[in-house]
Amino acid sequence: MKNIRNFCIIAHIDHGKSTLADRLLDFTHTIQVTEGQMLDDMDLERERGITIKSHAIQMEYGYKGENYILNLIDTPGHVDFSYEVSRSIAACEGALLIVDASQGVQAQTISNLYMAIEHDLEIIPVINKCDMASAMPEEVEDEIVELLGCKREEIIRASGKTGMGVEEILAAVVERVPCPKGDEEAPLQALIFDSVFNSFRGIIAYFKILNGVIRTGDKVKFFNTGKEYDADEIGVLKMDLVPRKELRTGDVGYIISGIKTSKEVKVGDTITHIARPCSKAISGFEEVKPMVFAGVYPIEAEDFEDLRSSLEKLQLNDASLTFQPESSLALGFGFRCGFLGLLHMEIVQERLDREFDMNVITTVPNVSYNIYDKQGNVMEVHNPGSMPEPTLIDHIEEPYIRASIITTTDYIGSIMTLCLGKRGELVKQEYISGNRVELYYDMPLGEIVIDFYDKLKSISKGYASFDYHPNGFRPSKLVKLDILLNGESVDALSTLTHFDNAYDLGRRMCEKLKDLIPRQQFDIAIQAAIGAKIISRETIKAVRKDVTAKCYGGDVSRKRKLLEKQKKGKKRMKQIGSVEVPQKAFLAVLKLD
C-alpha cells in the first residue's frame, strides 16, 4: 500500500490537462501515445477538444529502485462539469494544479483548488506551456505563490507538448503525495465514483477501496440500496479493463457483477461484503444541484420508453443529470431534465443522439423558482406551465448566484455593462496581480442561463474566465410570458422572465417566429401576452390562390363574388386549421440574442 499514489489533474478549461496526461502515460510506458488526448475517448470530446468525463488510468513507475503504482484521474475544466471534478477529488490523496504560463490563474483554477483543499489533498503546482513564446512563467509563479502560499521552488515548470518537466512531476507525485490510509484487516469499504453501461456485461462500477480487500467471486452488497451481488470480475483500469484476482486497500479498480438496472448503482455508494459488512457508509459526497431545467421530448410519441431507458443509461455515466417525467400539451409526454449549465445540456442532447440514436426536442431552458401564495405556502416551479394563477401568488423568489469573473483591466468597463444589463450587483473587486482583476457579482441565475457566457467570452476576446456557485433565493418581479398562435397558447414556448425584459423579449420572439413558421392557407396571428394583456403581435399572411385570374374584364361584382367566396373558405379553414411549429423555431427562440 505504501507504493500506491492516487492523484488527479485539475485546471481551468484549455490549460493543457489532457496533453500533460498523455506525456505522463508516454513517460511511464503505460501506452503508446499515437494521437493527442488519448484519455478523451468520446467522439464529442475529440471534436470539441474538451474533456467531458473524468478518466481514470493506472500507471507503473520505477523511482529510486522501487516500483510505484500511480492512479491518475484526468478531469474536465469547464464549470458545467465541476461535479465530475468533485467526484474525482473524493477518490484521490493529491492533485496536480495546472496553470497555463501565458494565461495565469483563472476562475475555474481557483474554484477547483478550493474543492481540493476542502478534501485535504496535497497540491502540486505546475506551470504548463512554458515552451510558448507568450509564456510569462515569472508572473504566473507570483500568482501561484500568492494563491497557495507555497515556496517558489515547489512550483514545477513543464510543457505538455515537448515533455519538459514530466520527470519532475512524477518524482513530486511519489515524494509529496501521501499514500492511501486505510486498514486491510477492516471490513471492506469501497467508494463508487463512476459507472458505465455495457450492453454485454451490464453495469461496470468504478471504485476506490478505503478499507479491506476484495477478491473475485466475493459476495458483496451496495450499502445504500442494500442489493447483493457476486463479484464476477474485478480489476484495474488501464486503457482497457485489466482483470485481477484481488484488489487491496488504496487500489482504484472496477467491478462487474451483472447488474442490469441502472437504479441500483448510485455514484457515492459504498461497496461492502455480505458476510462482514462495514458499520457505516462512506460520507463526503454531496447531492448534485441542477442549475438549468429544460423539457426533453421524443419527436415520435412512441419513443417515450426508449427515451427513458436512454436517459437512465446516460445518468450512470453522467451522475449530474437528473430527470423526471412530465407532459406538455404541445409536445406530449417527455422528461423535465436538470443540467448543470448550458454546455452540459448541449452535450447531453448530442450524446442522446449519438450513443442512443434518440431524436429529441428540447424546450427553452429555465431555472427553478419558489412561489409563495397568499396563505404563505411555498411551491417549487421548474416550468412556466405549472405556475398557479397570478391572482393567487403573493410573491416569487428566484435563485441567485455569486459569480466571480477574472479579467484584465482593459475589459472591466464592458464586462460591468454586461453584468448590469443582466441585473447583476457588484459585490467587490480585487486586483490579483499586475493588470488582472477579479470581480464578484450577485446575479439572478435566470439571466445568465442562456447566453451570458458566450457574450462574456466575445466582449473580453476570450480573456475573461467565469465561475459561479449558488447563493440563495431573493424576491423578484417576475411575469409569465405566453406565446399565442391563433389565440392558442403554446406551452413549450412560454417563459418566466423579469418584468423589465418582458416587452422586449415578447417582441423579439414574435419577430423570430414570423420568419420561421411556414405560411399556411390562412392568416396566423402570433401574439406575446402577459396574463390577458397582449404586448406584441405579428401576422403571417395566408398563401392565396389567384381566384380572379379567369375573369378578364367584365363586371367588378363577379370578382367580388369570387373573393368573398375565398374569404369564407379561409375563415372556415382558420377555425379547424392547426399550426405546426417546426423544431427550428424552438431552437431559434433559445438562441435569441
Side-chain angles (χ1 to χ4, degrees):
M1 199 166 93
K2 68 180 196 327
N3 288 6
I4 296 177
R5 300 286 182 272
N6 298 319
F7 68 103
C8 59
I9 302 186
I10 53 177
H12 189 78
I13 190 166
D14 273 349
H15 281 201
K17 294 178 291 298
S18 302
T19 314
L20 199 64
D22 283 354
R23 293 291 80 75
L24 294 173
L25 296 175
D26 217 1
F27 192 83
T28 54
H29 308 296
T30 306
I31 48 169
Q32 202 62 44
V33 177
T34 49
E35 54 187 336
Q37 282 98 13
M38 291 293 285
L39 291 178
D40 292 351
D41 48 9
M42 266 160 53
D43 296 344
L44 262 177
E45 294 180 311
R46 289 273 155 100
E47 280 166 32
R48 290 170 177 248
I50 57 177
T51 306
I52 294 168
K53 285 290 301 163
S54 297
H55 299 275
I57 190 163
Q58 189 177 81
M59 308 184 289
E60 281 155 23
Y61 179 57
Y63 180 71
K64 292 189 178 168
E66 287 202 50
N67 278 332
Y68 289 89
I69 288 178
L70 310 179
N71 290 311
L72 154 76
I73 303 182
D74 178 27
T75 64
H78 198 283
V79 62
D80 282 13
F81 305 116
S82 56
Y83 191 61
E84 287 285 326
V85 183
S86 77
R87 300 205 324 251
S88 308
I89 286 176
C92 291
E93 282 86 33
L96 295 180
L97 179 75
I98 293 184
V99 182
D100 187 324
S102 56
Q103 301 206 345
V105 172
Q106 307 237 295
Q108 207 51 37
T109 319
I110 296 176
S111 81
N112 286 344
L113 171 70
Y114 287 156
M115 221 187 290
I117 291 175
E118 270 171 34
H119 283 78
D120 294 332
L121 264 59
E122 177 63 39
I123 311 283
I124 300 174
V126 178
I127 299 181
N128 195 16
K129 304 191 187 178
C130 285
D131 59 318
M132 282 172 65
S134 58
M136 336 168 275
E138 301 298 328
E139 287 91 327
V140 178
E141 263 183 19
D142 292 340
E143 288 178 20
I144 294 177
V145 168
E146 202 169 306
L147 182 69
L148 279 175
C150 62
K151 300 188 182 69
R152 263 179 186 281
E153 52 272 19
E154 289 178 9
I155 302 171
I156 301 170
R157 294 190 184 185
S159 159
K161 199 166 165 191
T162 60
M164 148 190 168
V166 170
E167 212 165 334
E168 288 92 331
I169 291 174
L170 287 167
V173 167
V174 171
E175 285 180 0
R176 294 195 221 165
V177 175
C179 61
K181 294 173 184 59
D183 179 4
E184 292 200 350
E185 302 306 314
L188 174 70
Q189 260 190 324
L191 173 78
I192 300 179
F193 65 89
D194 205 355
S195 52
V196 288
F197 182 80
N198 180 316
S199 44
F200 301 109
R201 321 251 353 225
I203 291 161
I204 304 172
Y206 297 162
F207 61 83
K208 176 196 172 186
I209 302 179
L210 296 197
N211 292 309
V213 179
I214 183 170
R215 297 180 177 84
T216 308
D218 279 358
K219 301 251 187 285
V220 294
K221 74 168 183 179
F222 287 13
F223 203 89
N224 292 341
T225 56
K227 300 274 187 192
E228 304 185 347
Y229 307 103
D230 290 340
D232 298 338
E233 181 184 310
I234 57 169
V236 294
L237 304 155
K238 296 275 178 101
M239 271 319 260
D240 300 313
L241 307 175
V242 183
R244 291 281 154 90
K245 281 279 175 276
E246 69 169 22
L247 294 175
R248 312 184 76 84
T249 304
D251 280 330
V252 173
Y254 69 90
I255 177 169
I256 298 177
S257 46
I259 308 170
K260 291 287 183 286
T261 47
S262 45
K263 286 205 176 60
E264 295 175 19
V265 179
K266 287 263 187 297
V267 165
D269 201 349
T270 305
I271 304 176
T272 186
H273 282 131
I274 295 175
R276 239 182 105 206
C278 56
S279 53
K280 64 182 203 317
I282 300 165
S283 61
F285 234 54
E286 76 275 17
E287 274 293 300
V288 57
K289 276 204 206 67
M291 293 288 200
V292 178
F293 294 88
V296 173
Y297 293 87
I299 288 179
E300 300 295 332
E302 60 265 20
D303 293 344
F304 176 72
E305 282 305 323
D306 295 349
L307 179 60
R308 183 199 295 270
S309 70
S310 305
L311 281 169
E312 281 176 357
K313 287 172 190 168
L314 194 57
Q315 194 179 29
L316 273 178
N317 197 241
D318 181 354
S320 48
L321 170 70
T322 57
F323 63 92
Q324 63 207 46
E326 70 162 6
S327 65
S328 136
L329 295 171
L331 300 167
F333 290 102
F335 294 94
R336 163 114 327 223
C337 297
F339 307 98
L340 291 183
L342 273 193
L343 177 68
H344 186 210
M345 175 172 127
E346 208 177 304
I347 297 290
V348 167
Q349 216 175 326
E350 192 79 7
R351 284 182 72 181
L352 280 173
D353 183 31
R354 293 187 183 201
E355 295 172 28
F356 304 101
D357 207 21
M358 292 298 308
N359 264 334
V360 293
I361 293 176
T362 313
T363 62
V364 183
N366 50 26
V367 297
S368 63
Y369 298 93
N370 287 342
I371 295 184
Y372 291 81
D373 61 14
K374 299 271 166 66
Q375 282 78 41
N377 303 325
V378 186
M379 64 183 284
E380 193 178 282
V381 169
H382 295 312
N383 64 341
S386 53
M387 262 182 80
E389 288 296 311
T391 48
L392 305 174
I393 297 174
D394 182 49
H395 68 278
I396 303 179
E397 288 187 347
E398 63 174 339
Y400 264 68
I401 57 160
R402 171 66 55 89
S404 105
I405 299 167
I406 297 182
T407 175
T408 51
T409 43
D410 319 347
Y411 305 113
I412 290 184
S414 47
I415 287 175
M416 283 184 162
T417 314
L418 172 71
C419 293
L420 287 172
K422 298 281 186 190
R423 298 190 284 133
E425 297 163 19
L426 182 65
V427 182
K428 62 175 176 184
Q429 69 183 58
E430 289 175 351
Y431 283 84
I432 305 174
S433 66
N435 66 340
R436 313 254 316 288
V437 64
E438 182 166 13
L439 304 169
Y440 291 95
Y441 269 93
D442 279 347
M443 299 171 82
L445 181 61
E447 291 283 339
I448 67 156
V449 115
I450 298 208
D451 54 359
F452 177 77
Y453 193 58
D454 301 344
K455 283 187 175 164
L456 179 71
K457 278 286 185 230
S458 56
I459 60 175
S460 66
K461 302 195 170 59
Y463 275 112
S465 60
F466 170 69
D467 179 41
Y468 60 87
H469 54 262
N471 194 20
F473 282 76
R474 295 191 194 176
S476 169
K477 194 175 178 189
L478 296 166
V479 289
K480 180 182 171 191
L481 180 70
D482 287 313
I483 299 291
L484 311 173
L485 293 181
N486 265 348
E488 302 262 325
S489 160
V490 182
D491 61 351
L493 291 176
S494 42
T495 51
L496 264 175
T497 178
H498 195 262
F499 184 75
D500 300 345
N501 307 341
Y503 281 83
D504 185 41
L505 182 68
R507 197 191 71 245
R508 294 205 320 248
M509 280 171 90
C510 288
E511 285 167 4
K512 196 84 176 178
L513 288 170
K514 184 183 178 182
D515 299 340
L516 291 165
I517 294 177
R519 290 172 69 185
Q520 307 282 346
Q521 294 282 343
F522 50 90
D523 283 3
I524 303 172
I526 302 173
Q527 295 162 310
I530 297 175
K533 184 179 177 190
I534 304 290
I535 56 172
S536 171
R537 170 179 172 133
E538 295 283 336
T539 309
I540 301 176
K541 283 298 188 194
V543 186
R544 287 168 180 269
K545 182 177 157 195
D546 188 358
V547 285
T548 57
K550 60 185 181 190
C551 306
Y552 47 93
D555 193 359
V556 74
S557 59
R558 286 180 62 204
K559 287 186 182 173
R560 283 253 58 89
K561 182 181 152 196
L562 288 167
L563 288 168
E564 287 299 323
K565 190 177 167 191
Q566 184 188 31
K567 202 163 156 191
K568 261 190 204 142
K570 294 275 180 221
K571 197 170 173 184
R572 195 172 330 117
M573 218 179 240
K574 183 169 184 168
Q575 284 164 359
I576 58 166
S578 66
V579 184
E580 287 292 314
V581 182
Q583 167 71 13
K584 294 213 287 264
F586 286 116
L587 293 176
V589 172
L590 297 185
K591 295 194 168 61
L592 278 178
D593 52 85

